[in-house]
Amino acid sequence: MKAIIPAAGLGTRFLPATKAQRKEMLPVLDRPVIQYVVEEALAASADEVIIINGAKKAALIEHFSPSPNLSEFLLSKGKAALANAVDHAGDLPVSFVEQDQPLGLGHAVHCAAAKTGEEPFYVLLGDVLVPDNQVLLRMLDVHKRYNGASVIAVFKVPRELVSRFGVIAGSQIQEGLWKVSDLVEKPAVEDAPSEYAIFGRYLLTPAVMELLAHTAPGAGGEIQLTDALKALLKTEDMYAVVVDDDEGFDTGTIETWLETNVRLAMRKPEFAQMLKDAIASIG
Ligand code: UTP
């Protein structure tokens, strides 16, 4: 199965950090966000990882290209672990497709239509992290169990915040799994059909690509993936897998990026101690 990672948005909520580079290239601890996302797709057996690239792409392409000179330099200084890390990033099997203009997430996904053909495919938003790589695997399991249906990931949001998100309507089949009957973009609190908002992971059938080809611009004048998924529900079943609070992290704004760094640092002994020492030194 192919994995599409849209990473061509403008990242305006993270300016000026994103003036000359993509927000997907900002580091979380020791590597750019998008490297975690590529590794997650590979952990879910993606046979090709397609990054949707746009403006400000130089650093992104360089990150996933071999750097023999840097690697040799590090080895000559006795820094084998760093040389390995550099080689690993350069060897990750990614390809790139251009999105000429940031016309929306749906448009970005459709840019890879020629590559996915008649097969189901993953979509992983390039600014959203799932460090333990388990969500796509749960989605794949549901996809297989329900005759190849589309599966999206959702997370529970406080009811007063639902109007910021795309929200599902449907019924819970079992703990952590919903059958989706509708998708509502940014509902008013009193109209929200659930407290489960779309999270940035999708396993979609090829019909979605056909629908995207004809999806008109929606909210914000952008071609929205959610609109194509809403249309899909008229002809196909869809399921939603619930992502736990400590399982998935957004990095698209300074607040969420900062929180993601702190939470992940606290999980790794080497970084946790650094963070605790730094905070203690501030008093
Ligand atoms: P976002 O809406 O979070 O990204 O899209 P954005 O538009 O870059 O953010 P702001 O609002 O300006 O700060 C979710 C994902 O979809 C990609 C983004 O790069 C991000 O990873 N995307 C979005 C595209 O690839 N192309 C687009 O046209 C829009």
Side-chain angles (χ1 to χ4, degrees):
M1 197 172 320
K2 310 243 182 310
I4 304 173
I5 305 182
L10 291 177
T12 51
R13 286 169 297 162
F14 220 137
L15 284 167
T18 50
K19 180 172 177 290
Q21 64 169 342
R22 318 215 56 82
K23 67 177 162 179
E24 292 82 1
M25 280 301 293
L26 295 171
V28 165
L29 302 182
D30 61 351
R31 71 198 72 168
V33 174
I34 196 162
Q35 185 174 330
Y36 293 87
V37 183
V38 168
E39 286 167 346
E40 181 192 346
L42 294 170
S45 306
D47 52 31
E48 186 178 352
V49 181
I50 304 153
I51 296 177
I52 310 299
N53 218 346
K56 303 177 285 188
K57 61 192 164 209
L60 206 160
I61 293 173
E62 193 171 335
H63 184 74
F64 291 111
S65 303
S67 304
N69 292 345
L70 176 58
S71 189
E72 274 165 33
F73 171 79
L74 291 166
L75 284 175
S76 75
K77 299 284 178 196
K79 297 181 177 174
L82 287 180
N84 280 342
V86 165
D87 291 344
H88 170 68
D91 288 343
L92 286 168
V94 301
S95 62
F96 296 96
V97 168
E98 292 289 308
Q99 185 189 25
D100 294 340
Q101 288 181 60
L103 299 179
L105 176 59
H107 180 263
V109 170
H110 189 255
C111 288
K115 294 222 174 200
T116 56
E118 288 305 306
E119 283 186 15
F121 56 93
Y122 293 122
V123 176
L124 300 85
L125 297 197
D127 60 349
V128 169
L129 280 186
V130 178
D132 74 0
N133 297 339
Q134 293 302 304
V135 172
L136 284 187
L137 293 171
R138 288 212 301 279
M139 293 167 68
L140 183 59
D141 188 48
V142 171
H143 169 77
K144 287 181 180 161
R145 201 170 354 134
Y146 291 97
N147 303 318
S150 289
V151 186
I152 62 173
V154 292
F155 67 118
K156 195 165 189 208
V157 292
R159 184 157 274 275
E160 63 275 17
L161 298 184
V162 283
S163 45
R164 293 188 194 171
F165 301 99
V167 173
I168 59 164
S171 51
Q172 187 170 334
I173 302 177
Q174 65 182 64
E175 185 67 29
L177 179 63
W178 287 59
K179 173 113 195 293
V180 180
S181 60
D182 198 6
L183 299 165
V184 188
E185 197 53 55
K186 300 187 172 56
V189 173
E190 57 279 15
D191 298 335
S194 78
E195 294 167 349
Y196 288 91
I198 303 175
F199 180 80
R201 297 291 180 268
Y202 309 79
L203 198 180
L204 302 174
T205 59
V208 176
M209 281 298 186
E210 284 162 37
L211 289 164
L212 280 171
H214 305 107
T215 302
E222 296 192 342
I223 297 174
Q224 300 285 355
L225 180 58
T226 305
D227 289 342
L229 298 184
K230 228 173 132 63
L232 183 75
L233 280 166
K234 292 185 182 140
T235 54
E236 292 188 10
D237 289 343
M238 186 185 298
Y239 295 85
V241 162
V242 178
V243 177
D244 293 333
D245 265 0
D246 59 354
E247 214 180 6
F249 305 93
D250 177 29
T251 65
T253 67
I254 181 74
E255 294 85 354
T256 58
W257 172 84
L258 199 55
E259 182 180 338
T260 302
N261 271 282
V262 172
R263 280 178 180 267
L264 295 197
M266 291 307 288
R267 287 183 188 181
K268 297 197 171 187
E270 69 273 31
F271 293 115
Q273 199 52 53
M274 271 182 219
L275 188 61
K276 285 179 193 160
D277 291 347
I279 291 171
S281 75
I282 297 166

